[in-house]
Amino acid sequence: DFPDNFFSDIFPKMYDTSGENFPGFIGSNHAGYYARGPLKDDWTKSCPLDWSDEKRNEMCISLQESVYGSERLAVLESIKESIDPDYMFDCNGCIGNNRDRSVSVKKKGSKKVAKKVAKKGAKKGAKSKIAQ
């Protein structure tokens, strides 16, 4: 939870809040389950903790947007959609986890892409172990 004056007094001095894009400000390794940005329609007010999860999700800047900012999150979601349209790599709180599923059936080639990603990750992991 943020102090009452954080979003009204402190936040605008630290970040540019003059535009339409919310700036990311929470370090992802410091974000807890209940962390949210301010209200979507009034960035000067904190998201109340006593609201239900549904209401907080609807009315407050999301955790992901609070971490990455509006512009970077849109880019990351676009990358996720192009690389993983079948939601093979999906998890709670991951980039793109909250998106509408654009694909309802598996596309050809998805396994091939997944194998390439897994193989690349395995090689990278092996290199880092050798370096140690």
Side-chain angles (χ1 to χ4, degrees):
D1 197 22
F2 297 98
D4 290 340
N5 70 334
F6 178 77
F7 288 110
S8 61
D9 299 334
I10 301 167
F11 190 73
K13 292 177 184 173
M14 297 167 47
Y15 299 95
D16 179 11
T17 59
S18 62
E20 294 181 12
N21 292 310
F22 188 78
F25 75 102
I26 298 176
S28 60
N29 58 331
H30 296 286
Y33 174 76
Y34 291 105
R36 300 285 190 286
L39 297 179
K40 289 179 182 177
D41 63 355
D42 186 352
W43 293 357
T44 65
K45 296 183 180 161
S46 293
C47 185
L49 286 173
D50 59 347
W51 285 359
S52 68
D53 286 344
E54 292 80 22
K55 188 170 184 176
R56 288 169 55 85
N57 290 339
E58 178 187 339
M59 304 292 289
C60 304
I61 301 286
S62 72
L63 170 60
Q64 288 182 351
E65 193 169 354
S66 296
V67 171
Y68 300 107
S70 304
E71 290 179 343
R72 184 173 291 138
L73 181 59
V75 169
L76 293 170
E77 287 175 337
S78 174
I79 293 168
K80 167 72 172 168
E81 183 71 28
S82 67
I83 291 174
D84 185 24
D86 295 334
Y87 293 78
M88 180 178 247
F89 304 106
D90 214 17
C91 64
N92 187 26
C94 292
I95 297 292
N97 173 271
N98 56 342
R99 65 197 165 141
D100 291 331
R101 298 191 187 280
S102 63
V103 177
S104 59
V105 294
K106 288 194 171 195
K107 290 183 178 179
K108 285 186 174 183
S110 294
K111 287 184 179 180
K112 192 175 186 179
V113 171
K115 284 181 183 178
K116 282 183 181 179
V117 170
K119 192 174 184 179
K120 199 173 204 178
K123 283 182 182 179
K124 195 173 189 179
K127 285 180 184 177
S128 67
K129 285 180 183 177
I130 292 169
Q132 294 173 355

